[in-house]
Amino acid sequence: MKRLLWAAAALTLLALPLFTDATLGHGWVRILDFALLYVLLALGLNIVVGYAGLLDLGYVAFFAVGAYCYALLSSPQFNLHWPLWVLLPLGAMVAACFGVLLGTPTLRLRGDYLAIVTLGFGEIIRIFLNNLGAPVNITNGPQGVSGIDSLSVGSYNLGQTHGWGFFEFVPVVNAYYLFLIGVLLAIVFSHRLERSRIGRAWAAIREDEIAAASMGINTRNLKLLAFAMGASMGGLSGGLFAGFQGFVSPESFTLMESVMILCMVVLGGMGNIAGVVLGAVLLSVLPEALRAAGPLQQEWLGRVVLDPSNLRLLMFGCALVLMMLLRPEGLLPARARQRELHGE
Amino acid sequence: METFLQQLVNGLTLGSIYALVALGYTMVYGILELINFAHGEVVMVGALVALSVIGALSHLGLPGPVVLLLGLTVAAPVCMALGFVIERVAYRPLRRAPKLAPLITAIGLSISLQQIAALIWGRNYISFPAVLSIDSYNLGGVIITSLQLTIMGLAALIMAGLLMLVQKTSLGRAMRATAQNPAVAQLMGVNTDQIISFTFVIGSALAAVAGVMVAAYYSVGNYTMGFMLGLKAFTAAVLGGIGHLKGAMLGGLLLGVVEALAAGYMGDFTGGVFGSNYKDVFAFLVLIAVLVFHPNGLLGSRAREKV
Amino acid sequence: MSSVVKPLLQAFDIHKSFGGLKALGGVSLSLEQASITGLIGPNGAGKTTFFNVLTGIYKPDAGHTEFRGQTLPAGLPHLVAARGIARTFQNIRLFANMTVLENVMVGRHVRTSAGVLGAIFKTAATRREEMAIRARAHELLKYVGIDARSHHVAGTLSYGDQRRLEIARALATDPFLLALDEPAAGMNASERAQLGELILRIREDGRAILLIEHDVKWIMRLCDFVTVLDYGLCIAEGSPLEVQNDPRVIEAYLGVGAA
Ligand SMILES: Nc1ncnc2c1ncn2[C@@H]1O[C@H](COP(=O)(O)OP(=O)(O)O)[C@@H](O)[C@H]1O
Ligand SMILES: [Mg+2]
């Protein structure tokens, strides 16, 4: 029975993009692709916030590092065209290094200070990306890097349409499968980490850092590890993003993006993989429905009174507040969180 | 030398504004140990409300300072009410929740306020109507405007008043008692809930003043203006020693000056590699450096957690 | 009381102040192998502070400690735990939202080694280690007598059981020295007696115990040695009998003139 359910779920996941493409069009498959990238990001942030209890408000910086890493080494910018299997791990590794770099001086700080410092770090990265177009052109400044090579696995170029018998695999569908592999790997990794010696140590640090240290846990190293692991998932996601979009610019890596990822983790349920996945999917798909709000207003009121992009962010902001007030453990809470907030 | 003095004047002006905002962070932190992320947004609301009022009155031909004052008279109560509501809605229900919770509502609130402001005032920059006639004085090559003098003077006056309030009045004593130990203060008959509300209201009034000053100083306002300002003011509060009133004032002035000097000299020092477009980075570097090397700030001292 | 064997632990002239307050004004202490030593003294005497310095939670202003022939790292609690000192806390500090079993499993952290890669790829070695951790945790829960509660959430246990769990968690680190900060506080007479038996059993396993306690009668019966702190200074030490009759101790406990 259980096996049957798994098979059905797997089949649904595999068929979803083809079905969506056939019924709703490329646009919606693209939305699914982004949902998967956000799931990957949210799972990464979940390691930092959900497992280790460190509030990171600059998480998008690691996404940016991964994306620029890919963009600079696989585009006309420096005329480098490294392959995917080098770039993705490299991006993850560089992001992890940035995670350690940020963590080393700051992890001794109290939780709320850490939040501010990570936020600052996120902004610093963005400011550098914005300004490293001159005097030496590294990032091409605010214009960003374009003409990035499309994702390709071996000789299979995901940026092109491939017909396989009856099915047609357009670029957005190809990307879906690649991203899905990334997400599934991230889920398995997260799950295993959570139930390991390392995961227990993270939970202990989150619960009581002093007691954890007295039990022989090297709290600094384990927090750094959480930062690095989370960052590497962000970096991986960034690489996929760059290859998929073909274009990156600093604008994609604002604080709002960090907040949105945090929102996904919080809404779904910090520390619980299923919750985080749900939060990420909801918050990346639902706002798309709001896009319709603009034309609707045009039709009914004669003009656009409420800008849809404002509405979207407003929704995120209110969701954060309301979730904390009404259901702080998230939609699908982790066991420990529920206890923490409501007792038994 | 002239550049130095000029940047000093500019820095002190900006620093006075930072200090006013930093006071709001520091007072709330002193009592609740909470970073009120939404505080920067209160500044923004103050600025935009004042801009609207001033815009509406600018055709009446009233004298500039009067118009400005009227703008402030409307902005201050709006901000105070906002501060009151923020505490009631977003923080009070979470006093006993884990630390992460109020921090997350604070972020959520900050974003919500920005977006609401964007819906009300639009996304474009609103410029400050030309109601003020600003005189400039040239002191040996250093130019100082009447507006700068007003900002610094007013900020100094308000800060002196705040210190008096906190140190000399019974209300101030209740505030200090609450900051030291809320449970004990409550036992001694202090209505700590009221004191906390009051703290938010006072902080928000200062934010309104700061908002009007920023709008006048930069001549523009926008729904995003509170964010960076808030962060910098928070940096100033940490620099001075969070929870410490005089620390916030000192930290604000210092950060203003440091930033102005950095903006003035960064290009020269780095051979043009890093220009003044990196000045926001600078504030963050100051923040990180302070937190890492001297987390208690310049004037602050905090007992560490008892085990 | 001199012995040929080197003492397990020797603290030399430990100083610690908080602002103007001198919590420890030069405490020296020596613990024998497999002994039970009581650390007593009035409230605020500095007993907990001494524990915190010993276990690396605070850095001493001056002084150092030698443990099993090596100087203990100051201010690094995880290294102290690795050297073989484990502790409990005066105000219980369990991982309240984790299960009883998980709490003890965390205690095994320092004696195990599985890393990220092992966890992600579930290598044979990692699985073996994980099984051993679980088995050892159950063993310890049985040892302290709360194995029946292993899947309860730690925070929901009764006060006495939480104290036991803290001891089990500490024992999971395989300590040579177990430092207990007021483990009997809030317990009734029969719980106290049980705890006394548990402590004696731990000693029989060859571990030394350093014990803070207020109930002088209880501690005098249990301990081999007693050290008395007052205002951050060591005012007496020796066998329970010697200490009991020391006029300075009587004075510290009963106030001036009572002697
Ligand atoms: N973290 C701290 N900060 C300031 N004072 C402290 C701290 N820890 C302990 N003290 C003070 O040091 C003294 C000794 O405390 P403690 O060691 O807890 O005493 P005991 O455990 O013997 O009752 C007390 O006056 C206490 O208030
Ligand atoms: Mg004590």
Side-chain angles (χ1 to χ4, degrees), chain A residues 105 110 113 131 255 259 310 317, chain B residues 111 115 123 227 242 277 292:
Chain A
R110 303 178 19 149
Y113 280 3
N131 290 301
L255 173 74
V259 170
N310 282 138
Chain B
I111 295 165
Q115 299 310 319
R123 301 169 81 91
F227 177 70
I242 193 128
N277 39 359
V292 170

Side-chain angles (χ1 to χ4, degrees), chain A residues 90-115:
Chain A
L90 184 74
M93 249 149 56
V94 173
C97 290
F98 269 87
V100 173
L101 199 73
L102 164 69
T104 306
T106 53
L107 282 178
R108 280 182 306 153
L109 302 175
R110 303 178 19 149
D112 35 12
Y113 280 3
L114 181 71

Side-chain angles (χ1 to χ4, degrees), chain C residues 58 70 89 102 131 140-141 165 170 197 204 213 226 234 245 254 257:
Chain C
Y58 295 160
Q70 283 180 314
F89 296 87
E102 284 168 342
M131 259 157 46
L140 284 165
L141 285 172
L165 175 53
E197 274 165 35
E204 267 159 38
E213 185 45 54
V226 174
C234 191
N245 297 319
L254 301 177

Side-chain angles (χ1 to χ4, degrees), chain A residues 49 53-55 57 102 105-106 108-117 119-121 123-124 126-128 131-132 134-135 208 210 255-256 259 262 266 270 305-307 309-314 316-322 324-325 328 337 340-341, chain B residues 29 33-35 37 89-91 93-94 97-109 111-116 118-119 123 223 227-228 231 234-235 238 242 271-274 277-278 280-281 284-285 287-288 291-293 295 302 305-307:
Chain A
V49 184
L54 305 165
L55 186 53
L57 289 182
L102 164 69
T106 53
R108 280 182 306 153
L109 302 175
R110 303 178 19 149
D112 35 12
Y113 280 3
L114 181 71
I116 294 273
V117 170
L119 187 156
F121 174 74
E123 289 296 290
I124 288 178
R126 198 176 51 84
I127 292 172
F128 269 93
N131 290 301
L132 284 179
D208 187 331
I210 288 176
L255 173 74
M256 283 303 150
V259 170
L262 178 68
V266 169
M270 274 185 268
V305 182
L306 300 175
D307 185 331
S309 71
N310 282 138
L311 268 183
R312 198 174 68 110
L313 287 172
L314 182 59
F316 287 145
C318 292
L320 279 180
V321 177
L322 290 178
M324 279 299 119
L325 293 178
R337 292 284 169 185
E340 184 177 339
L341 293 159
Chain B
Y29 196 94
E33 299 214 340
L34 163 82
I35 299 175
F37 254 102
V89 172
Y91 301 147
L94 294 174
K99 265 266 143 72
L100 223 54
L103 207 55
I104 291 173
T105 48
I107 299 159
L109 212 59
I111 295 165
S112 305
L113 286 173
Q114 273 188 34
Q115 299 310 319
I116 291 170
L119 292 175
R123 301 169 81 91
Y223 74 104
F227 177 70
M228 221 11 135
L231 268 181
F234 176 77
T235 303
V238 172
I242 193 128
V273 176
F274 295 115
N277 39 359
Y278 285 94
D280 288 343
V281 171
F284 285 123
L285 291 182
L287 175 67
I288 293 175
L291 283 177
V292 170
F293 295 112
R302 271 203 106 72
E305 185 182 4
K306 270 199 191 183
V307 179

Side-chain angles (χ1 to χ4, degrees), chain A residues 188-189 192-193 195-198 200-201 203-205 207-219 222 225 229 335-337 339-341 344, chain C residues 57 77-78 81 87 89 93-99 102 105-107 109-110 112-116 119-122 129-130 133 153 156 169-170 173:
Chain A
V188 171
F189 286 6
R192 291 188 169 179
L193 273 176
R195 274 133 214 268
S196 70
R197 169 176 176 265
I198 304 290
R200 268 195 309 275
I205 292 172
E207 292 271 324
D208 187 331
E209 195 170 336
I210 288 176
S214 298
M215 290 301 113
I217 292 172
N218 185 336
T219 53
L222 272 147
L225 181 64
M229 295 294 300
R335 224 167 21 123
R337 292 284 169 185
R339 290 179 204 136
E340 184 177 339
L341 293 159
E344 262 310 79
Chain C
I57 296 201
H78 64 281
R87 70 173 290 181
F89 296 87
R93 300 187 81 129
L94 287 169
F95 308 121
N97 297 303
M98 295 165 79
T99 65
E102 284 168 342
M105 288 172 82
V106 169
H109 183 92
V110 67
T112 45
S113 60
V116 170
I120 287 178
F121 296 113
K122 268 201 180 166
E129 187 183 276
E130 193 68 13
I133 291 174
V153 176
T156 63
R169 183 180 70 177
T173 66

